[in-house]
């Protein structure tokens, strides 16, 4: 696969259920994120969470959740923010530009589907330098705030959503 792969973001659909349940990540990455099947189960229980698929040539290449619930307040004082949770790229698609493309598509996706939102935030583990690099290259900035998760200190990153 080359960097011309077509990447798109889409709301979860049951058509991808088997792909979600067979999705795996290396142990070294699982300490930083949840598998899509686990995150999807939380979305079913917590209605403020919206599961999003990262598709490459219509195949499941990654996954994340947009959370508009109370947890957002741990990351920002902004009432117009969404929290990214459980972001991952499937190992078959890592290093191929899929992650960067998915994050570049995020702004238009949020503008289209969450028009009242003006910011997106996330927590990235202080040891997860690969993710930090990806987020910074994709327009996120370090807010110099920290939160503490199950795997220790997390940096809070955010990106303003420019309305067209």
């Amino acid at each position: 696969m080359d960097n011309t792969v077509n990447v798109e973001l889409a709301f979860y659909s049951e058509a991808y259920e088997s792909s979600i349940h067979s999705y795996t990540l290396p142990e070294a990455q699982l300490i930083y994120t949840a598998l899509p099947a686990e995150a999807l189960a939380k979305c079913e229980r917590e209605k403020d969470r919206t599961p999003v698929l990262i598709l490459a040539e219509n195949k499941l290449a990654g996954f994340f959740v947009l959370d508009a619930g109370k947890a957002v307040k741990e990351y920002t004082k902004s009432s117009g923010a969404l929290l990214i949770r459980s972001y991952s790229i499937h190992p078959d698609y890592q290093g191929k530009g899929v992650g960067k493309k998915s994050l570049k598509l995020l702004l238009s996706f949020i503008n289209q589907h969450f028009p009242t939102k003006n910011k997106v935030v996330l927590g990235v583990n202080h040891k997860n330098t690969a993710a930090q690099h990806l987020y910074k290259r994709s327009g996120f900035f370090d807010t110099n705030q920290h939160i503490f998760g199950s795997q220790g200190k997390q940096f809070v990153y955010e990106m303003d959503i420019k309305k067209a």
Side-chain angles (χ1 to χ4, degrees):
M1 182 186 321
D2 63 10
N3 279 337
T4 61
V5 66
N6 182 42
V7 175
E8 63 182 296
L9 301 180
F11 290 117
Y12 171 74
S13 154
E14 288 184 4
Y16 291 92
E17 187 170 1
S18 66
S19 297
I20 288 284
H21 290 284
S22 64
Y23 190 110
T24 60
L25 290 168
E27 265 321 298
Q29 293 175 14
L30 277 174
I31 61 173
Y32 301 126
T33 191
L35 285 172
E38 298 165 17
L40 190 58
K42 283 187 179 180
C43 290
E44 290 168 2
R45 291 189 307 269
E46 298 179 32
K47 297 305 178 193
D48 287 333
R49 295 182 183 212
T50 303
V52 180
L53 306 175
I54 301 168
L55 303 175
E57 307 299 340
N58 294 316
K59 291 187 170 57
L60 183 64
F63 180 89
F64 62 94
V65 172
L66 291 173
D67 187 343
K70 295 176 188 166
V72 177
K73 291 180 181 16
E74 295 176 42
Y75 297 80
T76 182
K77 292 181 173 108
S78 173
S79 61
L82 285 170
L83 170 62
I84 294 180
R85 292 182 173 276
S86 305
Y87 181 91
S88 68
I89 300 298
H90 189 279
D92 291 349
Y93 295 92
Q94 292 178 12
K96 297 178 164 81
V98 172
K100 188 172 182 183
K101 286 182 181 182
S102 73
L103 292 171
K104 291 294 182 195
L105 292 169
L106 187 61
L107 298 179
S108 60
F109 186 83
I110 291 173
N111 276 328
Q112 180 179 357
H113 299 291
F114 302 89
T116 62
K117 301 301 180 183
N118 59 17
K119 185 176 296 200
V120 63
V121 296
L122 58 87
V124 60
N125 190 282
H126 73 286
K127 293 180 184 174
N128 193 350
T129 56
Q132 292 170 34
H133 185 66
L134 171 65
Y135 294 133
K136 285 180 180 176
R137 279 193 352 243
S138 300
F140 283 86
F141 65 90
D142 187 344
T143 65
N144 294 317
Q145 297 176 83
H146 305 111
I147 60 169
F148 289 86
S150 62
Q151 296 299 319
K153 182 165 74 170
Q154 292 188 359
F155 301 128
V156 175
Y157 283 16
E158 73 177 45
M159 181 168 46
D160 290 328
I161 300 168
K162 306 285 188 262
K163 299 296 179 188

